[in-house]
Amino acid sequence: MSDYRGDQVESDSLRRLNKDEFDKLIKMLADQGYTVLGPKVRDEAIVYEEINGLADLPQGYRDDQQPGRYRVAQVGHNNYFEFNVGPQSWKQFLFPPKLTVGTAERDPASGWTFATPNQQPPKMAFVGVRACELAAIAVQDRVFMQGPYVDPDYRARRESLMLIAVNCTVAAATCFCTSTGTGPKCQVPFDLAFTELEDSFLVEIGSNRGDALVDQLVTVAGADLDRKRAERLQQRAAEQIRKHMDTSDLRDLLQQNSEHPRWDSVASRCLSCTNCTMVCPTCFCSSVHEVSDLTGDSVQRERVWDSCFNIDFSYMADGVVRNSRRSRFRQWLTHKLASWHDQFDSSGCVGCGRCITWCPVGIDLTEEVAAIRAEPSTNRQLPATQPEKTICVVPERARP
Amino acid sequence: MSTIPNSSPTVTKSHKPRLAVFKFASCDGCQLQLLSCEDELLSLADQLEIVHFIEASSQIEQGPYDIALVEGSITTTSDRGRIQTIRQQSKTLITIGACATAGGIQALKNWADHAEFARSVYANPQYVETLSTSTAIADHVRVDFELRGCPINRLQLIEVLQSLLADRRPRTPAHCVCLDCKRRGTVCIAVASDEACLGPITQAGCGAICPAYNRGCYGCFGPAAQPNCDYLADWYLQDRMSAAKLVPLLRNFNAAAPEFRDCGDRIDPNSDSGESL
């Protein structure tokens, strides 16, 4: 993994390059064996796919995001990155939706042979990673690599990853990274972070690998004026953010309001359709199951994305643990914003707003939190004796 | 890589389980899925004895049967009796497809005057003997497992047969289509366009085909577990479409599935008879 530099990047390390040089950077990464992934317009949305050059990027596009609504359109500007995060996140490349994690073959003579597929994940470069997405990758790094159980596939993908970030210069109506402290300006980890100016890019170097890339491009030292222009654009993005979530004591607030009437209200609207968890860049749940051929002699163990909103996800020997939309929504929100702190020493939310935009019925978690905060009920105080790091789950009722 | 000796050789059964396929009011599309299992069919035939499958063979054996696959809905008095006989003769009865599990598209007559339908279709309706409703097999006999879809997914059919042979629980999803859309990277058309998509309330199983081709989900696999049909309908009715368009979307291949039926009846001011059975 990259030797990411500290949070404070000296302003004299800023370099300016023209837009053709950015195109050269993409091609250079491909020449170095990277699969280069970046934003692209497909199916009325800006998605992340393989890109071959600047021409593949959504030049001139803007997105309009509202709870439960997303539209993209060309609006006349010439910039390549003047939009916000779309329906997909980078987690699809680091934590693939479907992965074969083991195989078993039975031979009449020698019996069962178990194997771990010798996966050689692609060496990837992400181009256009936003501040909230860097924060999300840092969250998933903690989940998959920094606990007692390291995910070998994630680690292999992550260690060879090149992170080319871009500072947001505009904000969507669903963005709230200023509330979660994750943006709009990019913080490490990144190898390079760009700010798109009208005629050029200003680049900040975040690692030695990033430095080596910039060395091969035609750049000039960023002038004070360039830095000010970049800061003004970053400031514009921050000022466009209208959505706010008060995160003070949020963990305690939610844990002390587990029987708040708002959970009933949200359950009447929630479809339990899993969309919020699928688009969330930090949600990491999966299921593992064995798929065999008809003879039963050849078995593949597959890991697929799963969700706490899937009724079968909490199916255990005694039945379904979370057998209502209310309990499933509460599980998701309290894990994301409260018990995540106990588990991973941070919030699970990076303020990207995807769960708000891509909820088919526009449920907005910031509004749910605000409603609970407005009328907190200390209905079920956590017992003082309860150990801090225990997450206790009690079955509500068995599946019929 | 590790190898362990074959301590328990494959259990040899005294006889191959006898499989029968039965048809009620339906289009045959679901039982054809069994024939579509081309590559797997020989392997299946190794493990099962297909003794009653009129679509595939004229050699028909009498019951009892170990596994009965039942396609179609109950629309006549004689079929109402025939399903009882099949149930009595079958150890495990599995219904396949939207007709057998929810009454099918022909359940639209539950909302209409069936005599009027018969008059408008047949020159001599007096020879047509039919019930006024189309109902699911489970409304008449105990069903051991329901396999949804219009048509069913042949891979799910294989999974169910395989699970019976291995004496384990079939693994078919209860979640909605959205999860499968996301797994395959489809952009949500319910959010990114004005299409009304039933994906958030429809059980997965098709592989989320329609949204991948920019069409809203038609609900072919029926309601997902604990669907919130009412709120999704209210959301679409706000500014996306009228009840005149949404009601027919809900009253499709799974019109009489209780959750779709009740939601359609609630938003349809003209509806009063869908529930009458």
Side-chain angles (χ1 to χ4, degrees):
Chain A
M1 206 138 80
S2 274
D3 47 340
Y4 301 115
R5 294 171 182 179
D7 281 348
Q8 296 305 313
V9 179
E10 297 297 321
S11 62
D12 62 2
S13 74
L14 292 174
R15 308 288 301 175
R16 188 159 62 83
L17 64 159
N18 68 30
K19 295 197 176 177
D20 291 343
E21 285 300 298
F22 196 93
D23 188 56
K24 210 171 108 189
L25 170 68
I26 294 171
K27 296 186 160 88
M28 210 163 77
L29 287 164
D31 289 344
Q32 291 179 15
Y34 286 97
T35 300
V36 188
L37 300 152
K40 216 174 183 177
V41 176
R42 193 248 294 165
D43 294 337
E44 310 289 319
I46 296 169
V47 298
Y48 296 145
E49 284 182 353
E50 197 162 344
I51 54 167
N52 298 311
L54 212 46
D56 285 338
L57 268 55
Q59 187 184 20
Y61 275 88
R62 272 304 289 277
D63 47 6
D64 174 29
Q65 303 198 37
Q66 304 293 336
R69 191 189 146 86
Y70 177 94
R71 296 290 184 277
V72 284
Q74 275 185 301
V75 294
H77 66 72
N78 285 317
N79 293 333
Y80 292 95
F81 292 101
E82 205 177 305
F83 55 87
N84 294 100
V85 295
Q88 302 178 338
S89 73
W90 303 100
K91 88 171 170 188
Q92 64 183 315
F93 305 115
L94 292 171
F95 168 52
K98 187 175 166 187
L99 185 72
T100 301
V101 293
T103 60
E105 301 287 335
R106 181 167 56 185
D107 181 85
S110 56
W112 282 103
T113 302
F114 297 92
T116 304
N118 184 22
Q119 274 142 350
Q120 285 273 310
K123 192 169 116 178
M124 297 179 288
F126 296 170
V127 173
V129 187
R130 306 307 175 109
C132 58
E133 300 182 310
L134 291 172
I137 290 169
V139 168
Q140 288 213 323
D141 284 353
R142 284 194 285 281
V143 172
F144 287 121
M145 299 197 302
Q146 290 160 22
Y149 306 104
V150 173
D151 183 314
D153 185 72
Y154 182 93
R155 184 173 59 190
R157 289 162 189 268
R158 181 68 182 88
E159 280 179 346
S160 60
L161 178 65
M162 182 73 82
L163 277 168
I164 312 291
V166 166
N167 286 309
C168 286
T169 56
V170 289
T174 44
C175 292
F176 61 105
C177 62
T178 41
S179 296
T180 49
T182 48
K185 184 166 168 26
C186 292
Q187 309 289 325
V188 284
F190 60 75
D191 293 290
L192 295 174
F194 288 84
T195 304
E196 186 172 20
L197 309 173
E198 225 169 76
D199 50 352
S200 57
F201 284 102
L202 200 63
V203 61
E204 195 176 304
I205 294 155
S207 73
N208 292 341
R209 283 197 319 177
D211 208 355
L213 282 175
V214 169
D215 269 352
Q216 298 170 66
L217 299 168
V218 178
T219 63
V220 295
D224 221 26
L225 185 69
D226 298 324
R227 187 176 50 79
K228 280 184 181 148
R229 282 163 72 199
E231 280 172 4
R232 217 166 33 238
L233 288 167
Q234 291 156 16
Q235 184 62 23
R236 179 179 76 180
E239 283 167 3
Q240 283 179 3
I241 293 174
R242 292 278 172 272
K243 203 165 277 302
H244 178 68
M245 182 168 75
D246 181 355
T247 57
S248 57
D249 301 325
L250 191 50
R251 173 187 171 275
D252 293 344
L253 178 82
L254 291 178
Q255 289 187 345
Q256 285 164 10
N257 284 278
S258 56
E259 300 301 326
H260 196 282
R262 187 71 185 187
W263 300 119
D264 297 311
S265 152
V266 74
S268 72
R269 289 170 278 133
C270 175
L271 308 177
S272 198
C273 63
T274 77
N275 275 303
C276 48
T277 54
M278 293 293 109
V279 297
C280 177
T282 68
C283 274
F284 57 81
C285 284
S286 63
S287 283
V288 174
H289 52 238
E290 280 78 34
V291 183
S292 73
D293 68 357
L294 271 169
T295 62
D297 290 337
S298 175
V299 182
Q300 297 213 314
R301 173 169 286 182
E302 285 179 351
R303 185 187 75 183
V304 289
W305 280 1
D306 212 330
S307 168
C308 51
F309 282 98
N310 176 4
I311 190 166
D312 279 343
F313 194 62
S314 69
Y315 181 80
M316 294 195 276
D318 195 36
V320 174
V321 175
R322 290 185 282 273
N323 202 5
S324 66
R325 293 194 301 270
R326 177 183 181 274
S327 61
R328 291 194 288 275
F329 188 92
R330 187 180 64 180
Q331 161 65 24
W332 172 66
L333 197 71
T334 56
H335 184 219
K336 184 75 43 188
L337 301 175
S339 52
W340 204 292
H341 287 278
D342 303 313
Q343 223 181 339
F344 303 111
D345 287 323
S346 78
S347 169
C349 179
V350 295
C352 70
R354 283 186 180 88
C355 58
I356 305 170
T357 301
W358 296 97
C359 172
V361 290
I363 293 172
D364 179 341
L365 83 169
T366 68
E367 281 180 10
E368 302 310 318
V369 166
I372 290 171
R373 194 181 286 285
E375 284 181 73
S377 59
T378 49
N379 49 37
R380 198 177 68 104
Q381 290 281 6
L382 292 178
T385 51
Q386 183 167 328
E388 256 200 5
K389 300 234 169 186
T390 301
I391 301 163
C392 182
V393 182
V394 182
E396 290 194 353
R397 67 184 164 92
R399 199 178 202 182
Chain B
M1 194 187 275
S2 61
T3 303
I4 57 166
N6 207 353
S7 55
S8 57
T10 316
V11 180
T12 47
K13 293 193 172 123
S14 54
H15 76 283
K16 286 187 197 172
R18 290 158 57 81
L19 175 86
V21 182
F22 297 101
K23 172 188 159 65
F24 288 79
S26 58
C27 77
D28 290 28
C30 290
Q31 49 174 311
L32 274 178
Q33 290 290 69
L34 184 57
L35 285 178
S36 300
C37 299
E38 294 164 0
D39 294 343
E40 299 89 352
L41 205 55
L42 287 177
S43 179
L44 265 179
D46 269 352
Q47 299 174 67
L48 290 162
E49 200 184 343
I50 302 175
V51 296
H52 186 293
F53 187 10
I54 292 170
E55 188 102 331
S57 167
S58 50
Q59 193 183 333
I60 293 162
E61 291 183 30
Q62 298 300 310
Y65 310 106
D66 292 297
I67 303 167
L69 298 178
V70 178
E71 175 198 84
S73 68
I74 303 296
T75 55
T76 65
T77 44
S78 66
D79 276 355
R80 206 157 54 183
R82 188 159 64 97
I83 190 62
Q84 297 295 340
T85 311
I86 292 168
R87 175 69 270 187
Q88 285 159 10
Q89 296 184 336
S90 308
K91 200 166 144 192
T92 302
L93 190 153
I94 297 167
T95 51
I96 57 170
C99 299
T101 58
I105 188 82
Q106 60 272 27
L108 285 175
K109 75 175 184 174
N110 299 5
W111 281 268
D113 178 350
H114 83 288
E116 173 66 34
F117 272 17
R119 270 197 301 278
S120 62
V121 173
Y122 300 101
N124 292 296
Q126 67 270 25
Y127 299 118
V128 178
E129 183 277 312
T130 175
L131 297 169
S132 63
T133 56
S134 170
T135 47
I137 300 297
D139 291 334
H140 301 268
V141 295
R142 181 175 59 80
V143 170
D144 299 296
F145 191 80
E146 289 191 323
L147 190 59
R148 304 271 201 88
C150 184
I152 55 166
N153 176 336
R154 68 177 182 86
L155 297 175
Q156 286 197 336
L157 178 62
I158 291 170
E159 161 62 20
V160 171
L161 293 175
Q162 208 174 1
S163 73
L164 280 173
L165 293 168
D167 197 19
R168 62 169 172 79
R169 211 179 141 217
R171 194 165 36 229
T172 53
H175 63 250
C176 70
V177 172
C178 302
L179 180 53
D180 286 4
C181 264
K182 291 297 188 287
R183 283 176 182 163
R184 66 183 283 176
T186 302
V187 174
C188 178
I189 61 166
V191 170
S193 79
D194 285 324
E195 282 274 330
C197 176
L198 294 188
I201 54 172
T202 299
Q203 182 173 296
C206 60
I209 300 168
C210 291
Y213 293 91
N214 288 313
R215 295 297 301 261
C217 167
Y218 293 99
C220 301
F221 277 65
Q226 298 175 354
N228 192 348
C229 303
D230 284 346
Y231 196 74
L232 185 69
D234 289 346
W235 178 266
Y236 286 159
L237 289 173
Q238 270 178 34
D239 56 2
R240 197 169 298 213
M241 67 195 321
S242 62
K245 282 190 171 171
L246 187 53
V247 170
L249 189 57
L250 288 161
R251 286 189 201 146
N252 212 327
F253 315 109
N254 288 280
E259 295 92 340
F260 285 1
R261 178 196 66 204
D262 293 349
C263 181
D265 287 351
R266 185 183 64 85
I267 61 175
D268 179 5
N270 305 317
S271 170
D272 56 6
S273 59
E275 204 171 349
S276 65
L277 293 175

